[in-house]
Amino acid sequence: MKVLHVCLASFYIDNYSYQENMLPKHHKQMGLDVEILASLVSFDKDGNSCLLKSGGSYINEYDIPVTRLDYKKSKFSKRLRQYEGTFEAIKKSRPNIIFIHGCQFYDIKYVVKYVKENPLVKVFVDNHADFSNSAKNWISKNFLHKIIWKHCAWKIEPYTTKFYGVLPARVDFLVNMYKLPEEKVELLVMGADDDEVEKAKSENSKQIIRNKYGIEKKDFLVMTGGKIDHAKKQTLLLMQAIKEINNDNIKLIVFGSVVNDLKEQVNEFCDGKRVQFIGWLENHESYKHLASADLVVFPGRHSVLWEQTVGLGKPIVVKYWEGTTHVDLGGNCNFLYEDSIDEIKLVIKELYNNNDQFLSMKEVAEQKGIHEFSYKDISKRCIQY
């Protein structure tokens, strides 16, 4: 059985743990023949978006063939996501299942053409767009999404077994923005890589991380990670909150990338002991670091680190956003409702001082999180129709 993962609506980044990486990895582990068709959009060494110089084929870190397509040489090809040789690449792959990561690319018409010629092929489409990251200005909302991308969604709809939103908000986006039939749309959560979870959860691995940064057994280690930019400046509030809590045993480690004009502020909060910024981490290292924490806090916008943290079985505190409450499994999660230093201090101090409450939170996280957000299970569920 051949599965083709189509990543032409947005990025595909080697050696990362996004859904575009994890579903192909675990489909291959299931014994399926897997291939990836991808755009030129990737990340550089600092975790920032970049464009590869040219297309081509290679074998990725999971021994999966990847084909990168060049954009067509026309004025709007990058904007509309039109590529050289899309139909030929699909035809050459000869898939039985096509999993499309994002329907927002004009060349989706070539998937339709292939499926018309091969009517036994099953198609699944996921969606990573919502109103927090898309349709944020008039042109994007009323032209790109309401006309062009809606047209693409409806072009593939008759041939699609299931549309997935990877957050509740992204399920709503498919139904409300593209007007897709509700019975064809459901939630498919992003998750954590089971292999990395198993390695990161060993006591030896946790202790190595804590020792590296001078975290003692009595310390209560709070951790956060991801990009620090103007959309996620709340990380600075968390850093200040930890500094203002009058308790030397509560410590914070921050990892990720920082935009240039916020670096000075980040450095001002770091003292090398209670608040430490450790820079960008490779995927496997982020799992190990998150697993070593007592509590993980994400005070800003959603990122895939939320699901990875829950999949590690860690208690989590996150910013409340309508449509992203799926990480709450009934006690593993607390929400922040304000961009407030005082609120962050209150939540952290309460969990530190109330051991019974924290242990209850930890128990729910470990019992439910690891199973619910396992990419091994998610990968099976997403094509079983």
Side-chain angles (χ1 to χ4, degrees):
M1 185 73 72
K2 179 71 170 286
V3 183
L4 176 66
H5 285 266
V6 177
C7 306
L8 297 177
S10 186
F11 55 67
Y12 174 75
I13 305 146
D14 293 305
N15 299 300
Y16 268 65
S17 58
Y18 287 119
Q19 191 202 52
E20 294 87 348
N21 307 87
M22 291 297 100
L23 293 187
K25 172 187 174 178
H26 289 283
H27 284 159
K28 184 175 177 66
Q29 288 184 352
M30 288 164 58
L32 299 171
D33 187 6
V34 182
E35 193 171 336
I36 296 167
L37 187 62
S39 73
L40 298 180
V41 184
S42 186
F43 280 4
D44 63 22
K45 61 181 177 59
D46 298 314
N48 298 311
S49 182
C50 70
L51 207 61
L52 301 179
K53 290 182 179 178
S54 63
S57 297
Y58 59 94
I59 303 298
N60 76 2
E61 68 272 24
Y62 303 123
D63 202 30
I64 296 171
V66 178
T67 299
R68 300 269 192 175
L69 296 181
D70 288 301
Y71 291 102
K72 284 186 174 176
K73 292 175 176 61
S74 61
K75 187 175 182 181
F76 297 107
S77 62
K78 289 179 185 176
R79 186 74 166 175
L80 296 176
R81 293 134 193 188
Q82 296 173 291
Y83 302 89
E84 298 283 355
T86 304
F87 181 69
E88 291 76 10
I90 297 169
K91 195 173 180 179
K92 183 180 178 183
S93 176
R94 299 177 63 190
N96 308 103
I97 298 171
I98 300 177
F99 197 104
I100 301 172
H101 296 267
C103 61
Q104 298 90 353
F105 65 106
Y106 209 71
D107 275 11
I108 204 165
K109 64 185 179 182
Y110 295 118
V111 180
V112 172
K113 182 180 178 182
Y114 179 81
V115 177
K116 279 183 176 179
E117 293 179 5
N118 300 273
L120 295 181
V121 172
K122 282 191 171 184
V123 177
F124 299 90
V125 181
D126 73 11
N127 172 53
H128 295 256
D130 61 39
F131 284 108
S132 76
N133 64 9
S134 303
K136 295 177 79 171
N137 59 55
W138 191 93
I139 292 175
S140 177
K141 180 179 179 181
N142 293 287
F143 181 65
L144 275 177
H145 284 282
K146 282 191 175 181
I147 297 175
I148 294 178
W149 302 146
K150 181 181 178 181
H151 167 75
C152 291
W154 275 99
K155 202 162 184 65
I156 197 67
E157 187 275 334
Y159 312 98
T160 300
T161 300
K162 204 58 118 173
F163 288 89
Y164 297 118
V166 298
L167 298 174
R170 294 170 186 178
V171 172
D172 295 341
F173 196 88
L174 289 171
V175 174
N176 298 327
M177 179 61 78
Y178 302 150
K179 307 299 180 185
L180 292 169
E182 290 188 43
E183 65 273 12
K184 264 197 170 182
V185 183
E186 67 180 52
L187 177 67
L188 181 75
V189 298
M190 296 176 282
D193 184 352
D194 302 66
D195 298 330
E196 297 295 344
V197 168
E198 187 176 347
K199 287 184 282 189
K201 283 184 69 64
S202 76
E203 289 304 317
N204 184 53
S205 174
K206 293 178 191 178
Q207 199 56 53
I208 288 171
I209 299 296
R210 291 175 76 99
N211 289 344
K212 183 177 180 180
Y213 301 106
I215 309 300
E216 299 178 23
K217 191 172 184 179
K218 68 179 187 304
D219 290 333
F220 186 79
L221 177 58
V222 179
M223 193 168 294
T224 193
K227 294 179 182 179
I228 304 175
D229 57 24
H230 290 280
K232 294 182 180 179
K233 283 181 69 175
Q234 294 92 337
T235 302
L236 299 174
L237 302 180
L238 173 61
M239 297 174 82
Q240 188 171 342
I242 296 296
K243 292 278 284 186
E244 291 184 9
I245 294 174
N246 188 26
N247 189 323
D248 289 341
N249 293 335
I250 298 177
K251 295 180 178 177
L252 172 68
I253 290 177
V254 180
F255 66 86
S257 62
V258 187
V259 293
N260 287 332
D261 54 342
L262 294 179
K263 284 182 179 178
E264 187 175 338
Q265 286 179 263
V266 169
N267 291 333
E268 284 176 2
F269 287 122
C270 295
D271 58 15
K273 189 174 181 182
R274 286 199 61 210
V275 178
Q276 300 181 60
F277 175 71
I278 60 173
W280 187 257
L281 295 177
E282 295 293 335
N283 171 50
H284 64 282
E285 287 297 326
S286 68
Y287 275 95
K288 290 178 184 177
H289 282 70
L290 291 168
S292 71
D294 296 294
L295 177 70
V296 181
V297 180
F298 296 109
R301 209 172 73 184
H302 172 269
S303 83
V304 294
L305 292 173
W306 290 26
E307 286 87 354
Q308 288 177 14
T309 300
V310 178
L312 279 160
K314 306 303 295 185
I316 189 171
V317 175
V318 298
K319 177 73 180 290
Y320 177 85
W321 296 93
E322 188 175 350
T324 58
T325 58
H326 62 299
V327 292
D328 182 4
L329 302 177
N332 66 308
C333 175
N334 281 0
F335 289 104
L336 298 168
Y337 295 91
E338 308 165 9
D339 289 340
S340 159
I341 294 168
D342 288 340
E343 185 190 28
I344 295 171
K345 285 161 59 177
L346 183 67
V347 170
I348 291 174
K349 285 196 293 185
E350 184 178 357
L351 291 173
Y352 178 80
N353 293 322
N354 189 334
N355 194 51
D356 288 342
Q357 181 185 348
F358 178 72
L359 290 176
S360 174
M361 193 178 183
K362 188 176 178 182
E363 184 179 5
V364 175
E366 290 175 347
Q367 287 183 352
K368 294 185 178 181
I370 294 172
H371 170 69
E372 291 291 330
F373 288 84
S374 155
Y375 257 129
K376 189 174 184 178
D377 291 341
I378 293 165
S379 300
K380 290 175 184 175
R381 295 199 303 267
C382 73
I383 56 172
Q384 285 184 342
Y385 282 91

